[in-house]
Amino acid sequence: MENFIISNPTCLHFGKGVINDLSETVSKFGKRVLLVYGKNSIKTNGLYAQVVAQLHQAGSAVFEYAGIKSNPVISDVDAAAEIGRKNNIDVIVAVGGGSVIDSAKIIALAIPLKNRAWELFEYKVKPVTAIPLIAVLTLAATGSEMNGFAVVQNDVTKQKPGYFSPFIFPKHSFLDPSFTITVPAKYTAYGIVDLIAHALEGFFGKGETTLTDRFVCSIIKEAVTYGPLLMKDLTNYGYREKIMFAATCALNGMTSYGKKTGDWGVHGIGHSLSVLYDIPHGATLSVAYPAWLNYFKSRIMDKLNFLGKEVFDTNSPEATITSLEHYFHLLGAPVRLKEIGIDAWKKEEIIENMVFNKTTGDNLKMDRADLENIFDLMLN
Ligand code: NZQ
Ligand code: ZN
């Protein structure tokens, strides 16, 4: 086991009705609130009205930035940060999925800096503080609600990097599973894929910790058990609750305790597919993971056997990979590039983007030839 420090400062409010604590929580951070959200979902499902009522109850002056897109872009971050600076805001309330929360995290860092937000990703500026962030999660997937990571894309340079800062853990996150009941089937499935992928990135990372590997298997088992039930019954609160809790645990640090790093090579592959063709994050992972596992299987036999025994009741690496792939398909997620509209002739462009973005993985290192072979496996 590697030495490790656990420090997760996010205060998590989980369960039905937790939104009623938002008013009191926000007031602790000040009166001037920047409310950040996505396109339409929170207006059509009634959550916007509930959040605004809480903010009014707190006596907040509310400034808004709406329209954050899925696979969020840096231009929205800069525009929102400008509104935040102009109005001297005290606190950000982000209401949405990973795209909204990630954007809000970079907005929180960018407001006190006078620079363009992209300079953070270029490491040209070093933040020393951030505006406090409160998250209201509406989609179970990324774990952004309880971690210090943000992923934002630059459509001009064709990059989708992650950024970590200890200043951007949400101060509070509100997770009411009933807010996720309106998430459409395909995004529900992509969210389940994403949480499994986060657990696997930890599992295949550098270092050995048996207890952490058991955490990983338990999280994946939870998703494998309740994911298909949820897909058949999207409005079921109990299944939404199980998936939401699993998604938070999959990327709040616990799947990497005692490890040097996770691997994150599959996420790198996925980010290239998203930045080039605007493919939803989870859909890139359900295509990339089976291919990556097949490519590296001779080097990860023991881990695949462990995963197979704990989760899928299989007794060979091949059977474990096939079970995972069947499971993704059962959810309704794609498992080959053609299902997300990508043909062989895009290979060059995709490989170039991955190499440009230094997609190597942190444990099982990939070079250009490896990426080309994995591309071929994603195709066939
Ligand atoms: O924009 P609206 O109208 O809100 O619609 C959204 C969006 O179209 C919709 N949605 C969200 N909650 C809903 C809902 N629709 C109905 N009812 C609700 N309650 O769902 C769509 C997808 O939302 P998005 O936020 O993009 O999804 P997700 O939570 O999967 O976030 C994906 C982003 O997070 C990044 C990904 O790369 C991607 O950019 N990630 C962030 C991570 C982190 N911060 O730790 C780690 C992950 O690996 C990932 O990279
Ligand atoms: Zn992910």
Side-chain angles (χ1 to χ4, degrees):
M1 222 193 285
E2 302 292 327
N3 292 1
F4 62 101
I5 296 171
I6 297 175
S7 169
N8 192 315
T10 300
C11 176
L12 203 75
H13 307 240
F14 192 101
K16 207 172 265 181
V18 289
I19 197 71
N20 295 322
D21 298 339
L22 179 63
S23 156
E24 196 187 329
T25 306
V26 169
S27 5
K28 291 180 192 151
F29 296 93
K31 285 277 177 223
R32 302 175 73 78
V33 177
L34 179 65
L35 177 62
V36 180
Y37 54 98
K39 303 263 181 200
N40 306 311
S41 73
I42 68 162
K43 292 239 165 118
T44 50
N45 67 13
L47 180 54
Y48 175 84
Q50 289 186 58
V51 169
V52 168
Q54 287 290 317
L55 297 178
H56 285 162
Q57 199 179 313
S60 310
V62 183
F63 306 89
E64 293 195 12
Y65 191 86
I68 298 291
K69 69 176 276 297
S70 187
N71 289 330
V73 289
I74 199 73
S75 50
D76 276 322
V77 169
D78 278 324
E82 197 46 45
I83 292 175
R85 268 183 223 116
K86 212 166 69 195
N87 294 292
N88 207 13
I89 61 140
D90 301 311
V91 52
I92 300 175
V93 175
V95 187
S99 295
V100 169
I101 298 173
D102 285 5
S103 300
K105 287 174 170 178
I106 302 298
I107 296 165
L109 288 171
I111 288 174
L113 298 165
K114 300 287 177 279
N115 312 54
R116 287 178 307 115
W118 191 248
E119 291 179 26
L120 287 158
F121 291 92
E122 294 172 319
Y123 297 95
K124 287 185 177 162
V125 282
K126 195 164 184 265
V128 290
T129 185
I131 302 287
L133 168 65
I134 295 174
V136 179
L137 185 66
T138 66
L139 195 164
T142 64
S144 187
E145 64 277 12
M146 203 177 180
N147 70 38
F149 295 104
V151 187
V152 175
Q153 74 184 38
N154 185 325
D155 282 341
V156 178
T157 61
K158 296 289 176 202
Q159 289 170 287
K160 188 174 184 187
Y163 188 84
F164 174 82
S165 165
F167 304 119
I168 56 177
F169 282 81
K171 301 283 182 218
H172 291 260
S173 282
F174 292 86
L175 276 64
D176 183 337
S178 57
F179 295 160
T180 66
I181 274 174
T182 52
V183 176
K186 65 176 188 174
Y187 277 108
T188 302
Y190 301 156
I192 298 168
V193 171
D194 195 22
L195 88 85
I196 291 174
H198 296 157
L200 291 176
E201 296 284 17
F203 189 67
F204 293 112
K206 210 179 267 177
E208 284 303 325
T209 324
T210 47
L211 180 58
T212 297
D213 284 350
R214 288 184 202 281
F215 291 159
V216 163
C217 289
S218 296
I219 290 167
I220 299 176
K221 181 106 191 169
E222 191 79 351
V224 167
T225 306
Y226 295 107
L229 296 172
L230 173 57
M231 295 312 298
K232 286 200 195 114
D233 190 4
L234 290 171
T235 59
N236 185 305
Y237 179 87
Y239 300 148
R240 289 283 184 189
E241 179 181 59
K242 288 183 189 296
I243 295 300
M244 195 173 209
F245 185 33
T248 300
C249 293
L251 199 52
N252 67 356
M254 68 187 287
T255 51
S256 294
Y257 291 164
K259 304 224 174 187
K260 223 181 191 103
T261 63
D263 186 83
W264 299 104
V266 173
H267 268 70
I269 294 170
H271 289 334
S272 281
L273 301 177
S274 288
V275 78
L276 289 172
Y277 312 115
D278 207 19
I279 313 281
H281 178 60
T284 67
L285 301 172
S286 54
V287 172
Y289 240 117
W292 184 92
L293 290 170
N294 265 313
Y295 187 64
F296 283 116
K297 74 179 166 213
S298 62
R299 291 173 57 189
I300 51 175
M301 290 275 190
D302 290 349
K303 299 223 80 154
L304 283 169
N305 282 331
F306 183 79
L307 180 70
K309 256 192 222 112
E310 295 285 317
V311 178
F312 294 107
D313 203 18
T314 49
N315 50 19
S316 75
E318 290 77 13
T320 303
I321 299 169
T322 306
S323 296
L324 182 70
E325 185 174 309
H326 284 167
Y327 172 75
F328 286 161
H329 231 187
L330 179 72
L331 295 176
V335 294
R336 290 292 181 274
L337 287 173
K338 64 175 178 308
E339 295 174 71
I340 51 174
I342 296 175
D343 301 319
W345 64 269
K346 293 198 171 128
K347 180 170 179 175
E348 193 56 32
E349 178 178 46
I350 292 169
I351 299 297
E352 282 308 322
N353 185 273
M354 290 180 196
V355 171
F356 169 63
N357 282 303
K358 301 187 175 59
T359 300
T360 56
D362 290 331
N363 187 26
L364 292 144
K365 296 278 185 193
M366 299 178 286
D367 61 16
R368 176 185 278 267
D370 296 320
L371 292 168
E372 285 176 352
N373 289 329
I374 292 169
F375 179 92
D376 293 342
L377 290 168
M378 294 195 287
L379 205 54
N380 301 306

